Amino acid sequence: MKDFINLLYRNHSLGYKLLLFLSTTFLIVYLFPKSGKFKYNFERGKPWQSESLQAPFDFAIKKTDAEINSEKQAIKDNATLYFDIDDKVYERVLANYKSEFQNVFPDTLDVATSALFFAHGEQIINRLYSKGILGDDYNFSGDRNIIILNNNIIKERTQFSQLIKQNQLTNIIDNSLLDDTFKAYKTDFVSLFYDVIEPNITFNKLFTDRVIQSELDKVAYTRGSIERETLIISKGEVVEGDKFQILKSLEAEYESQVWTDSNYYWVIGAYTLLVSLALLMLLLFIKKYRPEVFENNTKVTFIFFNIFLMIFITTLVVNYNSKYVYVVPICILPLVLKAFFDARLGLFAHVITVLLLGFIVSNSYEYMFLQIIAGIVTILTVSELYKRANLFISVGQITLIYIVAYFAFFVIHEGSVDTLKWETFGLFILCGLATLFVQPLIYAYEKLFGLVSDVSLLELSDTNTKLLKELSNKAPGTFHHSLNVANLAEAAANEIGANAMLVRVGALYHDIGKMKNPTYFTENQSTGINPHDELSSRESASIIINHVINGIEIARKNNLPDRIIDFIRTHHGTSVVYYFYKKEKEINSDLDVYEFEYPGPKPFSKETAILMMCDSVEAASKSLKEPTSSKIDVFVENIINKQMNDGQFLNANITFKEIQSIKKVLKHKLANIYHLRIEYPE
């Protein structure tokens, strides 16, 4: 049992990665659709690439969305309209007419004329209410069939044009008073009618909508059926027209059929295998090509978290409305990974993520092609992310690639641009705008995961930061030395393609530990007094060596990132404080060299190796007397060759060719510093 616990403890890092791998796999599979997937890929207007296909079971042919929408619209346009009539209105109008007639017409009219006028007005009212007067001006076509209801009982069937609208009343009344007998009293008649006439017909929208919905519910979503073993399409036949719709119907039927528990678990198992294979390839890639990332559980967690986050967001959007899938800014993933790691890892993780998303989205080939091309463009165009203009330019290029690629796919599928959905281009623009969110996202990730991006490195490289200002005040010589080393290291990193910004920042902070005892280091001794003269060689060596430990403590106190602290830890590797070792050796021949060695570790990256070389060369160059080109060449060769012989670069992924390039840069830079001229032959 004890051995087992020890084994777990020794392999706890690997165990964590296994747990992370399994949990990410299960979470992704949980998001996937739990149904079968149609195994054939086909596109409208393209030849059928697979073998001749026969119907595996009976299924109905589904109508297209356009057909269904057309049928529904026809039902709405031709549906019978229902209106309510109020019979009491007619009775009330007649009663009001009788009472108001005497008030309107003068008493001077003789009885016969008065009776004639009254009867004529009554005829006009009867004519109006024989058709019905609408309360509002409804915007229906005149040929629409209507049904007039009286207490929900059908009273009359007619057309909408037969009803009288409010704006038609004046013309009808005027036309009824054209006879010379009534002309003199036309104004009185019109005034009387407008006082007493009321609308008696109202539109029953609730009942009409209910009837229309009942008709809509009867719409069939299928047209015909295909029996089992019926030939659907032959190999090489073009997929178009009814063939395309039958294949779409088969695909929908296949993916929506009810699965048994056995089928369900088989599908889940198959998804799990595919997802685990994809994530395993990513882990193996990181282990083989980015071992420093693989050893850091936080970084591996960060990568897996971002992959799951992209899949999670895309799943939410697809479940809401799949047409918005291109709004999801997938290119944030390679942007973020490139900012914290490198382009190669960013692109590999992006491709793995897009392959997994192919299980979720419709038209997966088109989607994956667009996203992989966009990811490649992201990696190729985005550089120096800390420069704001670069991000905007890159996002513009990514958006343009999306639009161009989508346009090409659409033309291939449809054969023309007549039905091009321009709003999709708007989705790509929204995706580009969402990609700009990568800047605050990077900042959040730095705080959550303790990572460092080029944006933070740029901030740390400012010599007006609190820590560097303190260094320049307490140890001005060390500060000047650090600036010189930073310039040398940056030039060397650019020469071999290393991270120049990272090595520059590391160089600026690598000697901050000297602030604790600044006068014990020669570059800060301005008075000519050397405090080491009063100390033993062991004590002096201890103070010199401890500037590394002190630097780490100061860095942690000031919350410097671990990537910068690595430069402080490794800039002397496991080298020996040779001056004091040799001095003590003269007194004690049995001296143990380990007492005068730096604690290490040795440099374990190109950047930390570059800093060790530049730091040693810059510091030692101050001892050169009457420097010449040949002296500088020999000087640089000796220092770096000694470091190589001591095995200081064995853990760094740096080649002999790159070391030779760094030597060349250092020789050239030192020659410029000392303003050497070419030595002409006499």
Side-chain angles (χ1 to χ4, degrees):
M1 184 65 181
K2 184 177 180 181
D3 293 339
F4 178 72
I5 293 174
N6 289 335
L7 180 66
L8 286 178
Y9 179 76
R10 287 195 302 271
N11 296 283
H12 72 279
S13 180
L14 193 60
Y16 174 81
K17 292 181 183 67
L18 178 62
L19 182 63
L20 177 67
F21 170 78
L22 292 175
S23 59
T24 306
T25 300
F26 291 138
L27 285 172
I28 291 174
V29 170
Y30 177 77
L31 297 175
F32 281 1
K34 306 301 187 297
S35 65
K37 195 168 180 68
F38 196 53
K39 63 181 178 180
Y40 300 103
N41 289 318
F42 59 92
E43 297 179 29
R44 187 195 296 270
K46 295 292 188 65
W48 179 257
Q49 300 294 333
S50 305
E51 296 298 324
S52 297
L53 177 63
Q54 292 181 329
F57 44 75
D58 297 343
F59 66 93
I61 304 172
K62 293 183 180 296
K63 296 178 182 176
T64 64
D65 290 341
E67 289 174 330
I68 294 171
N69 291 336
S70 177
E71 286 186 31
K72 289 184 175 180
Q73 191 60 46
I75 289 173
K76 292 177 182 177
D77 292 341
N78 299 314
T80 300
L81 305 176
Y82 288 82
F83 289 81
D84 289 322
I85 187 169
D86 188 352
D87 287 338
K88 294 179 180 178
V89 171
Y90 173 67
E91 296 172 3
R92 185 166 59 249
V93 169
L94 280 179
N96 291 337
Y97 173 71
K98 290 176 181 178
S99 63
E100 292 293 327
F101 183 83
Q102 297 299 329
N103 297 330
V104 172
F105 289 95
D107 296 336
T108 56
L109 287 176
D110 59 74
V111 175
T113 303
S114 178
L116 177 64
F117 281 13
F118 181 84
H120 188 70
E122 200 171 37
Q123 288 176 0
I124 294 173
I125 292 173
N126 289 334
R127 192 182 311 142
L128 291 174
Y129 284 98
S130 66
K131 294 184 176 181
I133 302 172
L134 289 168
D136 292 310
D137 292 332
Y138 300 104
N139 189 24
F140 298 122
S141 62
D143 58 352
R144 288 290 292 272
N145 293 324
I146 66 168
I147 291 178
I148 297 177
L149 302 174
N150 186 2
N151 295 323
N152 290 332
I153 298 173
I154 297 176
K155 179 179 180 180
E156 183 181 355
R157 297 176 185 269
T158 183
Q159 289 188 322
F160 183 71
S161 59
Q162 297 300 311
L163 301 180
I164 298 174
K165 297 181 181 178
Q166 291 285 323
N167 57 12
Q168 295 175 328
L169 281 173
T170 302
N171 289 334
I172 294 173
I173 294 171
D174 287 345
N175 292 333
S176 301
L177 299 172
L178 294 177
D179 192 280
D180 292 339
T181 308
F182 309 109
K183 273 186 178 180
Y185 297 95
K186 180 179 179 180
T187 304
D188 295 328
F189 266 115
V190 171
S191 175
L192 173 60
F193 287 138
Y194 270 103
D195 285 340
V196 299
I197 288 175
E198 301 176 29
N200 67 332
I201 300 287
T202 56
F203 178 50
N204 192 332
K205 186 175 186 308
L206 182 63
F207 194 87
T208 302
D209 288 344
R210 194 180 304 160
V211 172
I212 291 175
Q213 187 59 50
S214 175
E215 293 298 317
L216 291 176
D217 292 339
K218 295 177 184 177
V219 172
Y221 287 80
T222 61
R223 50 176 176 83
S225 62
I226 300 293
E227 294 183 358
R228 183 181 179 185
E229 297 185 356
T230 301
L231 178 65
I232 296 176
I233 192 167
S234 302
K235 184 175 182 179
E237 191 175 351
V238 177
V239 180
E240 58 185 356
D242 285 344
K243 296 287 184 183
F244 177 77
Q245 194 56 35
I246 291 171
L247 287 170
K248 293 296 290 183
S249 301
L250 177 59
E251 181 182 34
E253 185 69 24
Y254 189 87
E255 294 182 355
S256 64
Q257 61 182 295
V258 178
W259 292 83
T260 64
D261 289 343
S262 175
N263 292 133
Y264 178 82
Y265 291 124
W266 274 108
V267 171
I268 293 296
Y271 272 140
T272 304
L273 277 176
L274 292 174
V275 173
S276 60
L277 276 175
L279 295 180
L280 181 61
M281 293 305 104
L282 178 61
L283 271 179
L284 292 176
F285 172 86
I286 297 172
K287 187 177 188 302
K288 183 173 178 63
Y289 296 105
R290 300 293 180 270
E292 72 282 358
V293 175
F294 185 80
E295 295 301 325
N296 190 317
N297 285 339
T298 301
K299 293 180 179 179
V300 177
T301 304
F302 174 73
I303 295 169
F304 275 62
F305 170 77
N306 276 277
I307 291 174
F308 173 74
L309 182 63
M310 287 294 110
I311 295 174
F312 176 70
I313 294 174
T314 305
T315 305
L316 290 181
V317 173
V318 169
N319 290 339
Y320 173 71
N321 193 331
S322 60
K323 75 177 184 179
Y324 296 125
V325 69
Y326 286 115
V327 175
V328 182
I330 300 295
C331 288
I332 279 183
L333 180 63
L335 272 174
V336 167
L337 295 184
K338 184 179 180 182
F340 288 114
F341 305 111
D342 61 83
R344 194 174 177 185
L345 177 56
L347 181 59
F348 195 91
H350 176 73
V351 171
I352 292 292
T353 305
V354 172
L355 289 176
L356 293 175
L357 288 174
F359 292 112
I360 299 173
V361 300
S362 57
N363 205 353
S364 57
Y365 176 78
E366 176 185 321
Y367 178 84
M368 290 191 293
F369 184 91
L370 260 64
Q371 295 296 359
I372 289 175
I373 290 295
I376 293 172
V377 172
T378 302
I379 294 298
L380 293 177
T381 58
V382 175
S383 59
E384 299 177 329
L385 196 59
Y386 54 86
K387 295 181 179 178
R388 289 171 296 180
N390 287 0
L391 179 60
F392 281 97
I393 293 170
S394 297
V395 167
Q397 293 171 332
I398 294 165
T399 305
L400 180 62
I401 290 297
Y402 270 130
I403 292 173
V404 170
Y406 174 79
F407 177 80
F409 265 108
F410 187 89
V411 172
I412 290 172
H413 290 163
E414 302 296 330
S416 70
V417 296
D418 296 338
T419 58
L420 184 63
K421 298 177 180 178
W422 297 101
E423 61 268 21
T424 307
F425 295 157
L427 300 181
F428 291 132
I429 294 172
L430 288 176
C431 177
L433 295 175
T435 306
L436 295 174
F437 184 70
V438 71
Q439 283 283 20
L441 188 64
I442 286 174
Y443 177 79
Y445 280 152
E446 287 177 338
K447 301 304 179 186
L448 288 173
F449 291 91
L451 300 172
V452 184
S453 68
D454 285 349
V455 179
S456 292
L457 292 177
L458 180 66
E459 294 173 356
L460 290 171
S461 67
D462 184 3
T463 54
N464 289 315
T465 58
K466 179 183 176 182
L467 193 54
L468 291 180
K469 289 286 283 186
E470 186 180 356
L471 177 64
S472 66
N473 291 330
K474 291 184 177 179
T478 299
F479 178 72
H480 185 261
H481 158 73
S482 297
L483 285 176
N484 290 336
V485 173
N487 292 331
L488 292 174
E490 184 177 16
N494 284 325
E495 182 69 20
I496 67 169
N499 191 330
M501 179 64 74
L502 176 62
V503 75
R504 178 176 181 82
V505 175
L508 289 173
Y509 291 90
H510 78 284
D511 269 344
I512 56 174
K514 292 181 179 180
M515 285 193 293
K516 195 165 186 179
N517 297 299
T519 56
Y520 285 87
F521 300 90
T522 54
E523 66 266 25
N524 299 312
Q525 294 170 0
S526 57
T527 60
I529 299 173
N530 190 344
H532 288 289
D533 294 340
E534 300 177 4
L535 302 175
S536 68
S537 298
R538 291 177 186 272
E539 291 173 325
S540 295
S542 177
I543 292 173
I544 298 298
I545 291 171
N546 282 341
H547 89 273
V548 173
I549 307 300
N550 295 334
I552 294 172
E553 291 176 356
I554 293 171
R556 294 200 184 284
K557 185 178 179 181
N558 286 271
N559 297 317
L560 286 184
D562 288 339
R563 290 179 78 185
I564 305 305
I565 295 175
D566 288 341
F567 287 93
I568 301 173
R569 295 165 54 220
T570 62
H571 74 277
H572 285 296
T574 57
S575 59
V576 178
V577 185
Y578 189 72
Y579 176 81
F580 293 111
Y581 169 71
K582 187 177 180 181
K583 189 176 178 182
E584 185 68 19
K585 186 77 171 175
E586 293 173 357
I587 303 171
N588 181 7
S589 58
D590 296 331
L591 184 64
D592 190 348
V593 71
Y594 292 110
E595 296 180 32
F596 291 82
E597 277 187 358
Y598 284 95
K602 296 176 181 179
F604 46 79
S605 66
K606 287 182 183 180
E607 288 78 15
T608 51
I610 289 170
L611 179 61
M612 172 180 268
M613 297 181 215
C614 296
D615 181 45
S616 301
V617 167
E618 202 285 332
S621 67
K622 298 295 188 287
S623 63
L624 278 175
K625 297 178 180 179
E626 299 180 1
T628 62
S629 293
S630 57
K631 279 185 179 181
I632 289 175
D633 290 352
V634 172
F635 165 77
V636 171
E637 290 285 345
N638 287 341
I639 290 179
I640 296 180
N641 287 342
K642 185 177 185 308
Q643 291 174 337
M644 292 172 63
N645 292 334
D646 290 343
Q648 296 297 330
F649 306 134
L650 291 178
N651 296 333
N653 58 335
I654 193 166
T655 64
F656 285 115
K657 182 179 179 181
E658 289 170 336
I659 292 175
Q660 288 302 118
S661 298
I662 292 170
K663 287 179 181 178
K664 183 179 177 181
V665 170
L666 293 178
K667 292 172 186 177
H668 177 71
K669 287 290 183 181
L670 287 177
N672 288 339
I673 290 172
Y674 290 106
H675 305 290
L676 298 179
R677 296 182 180 275
I678 298 173
E679 296 182 4
Y680 294 98
E682 295 181 359

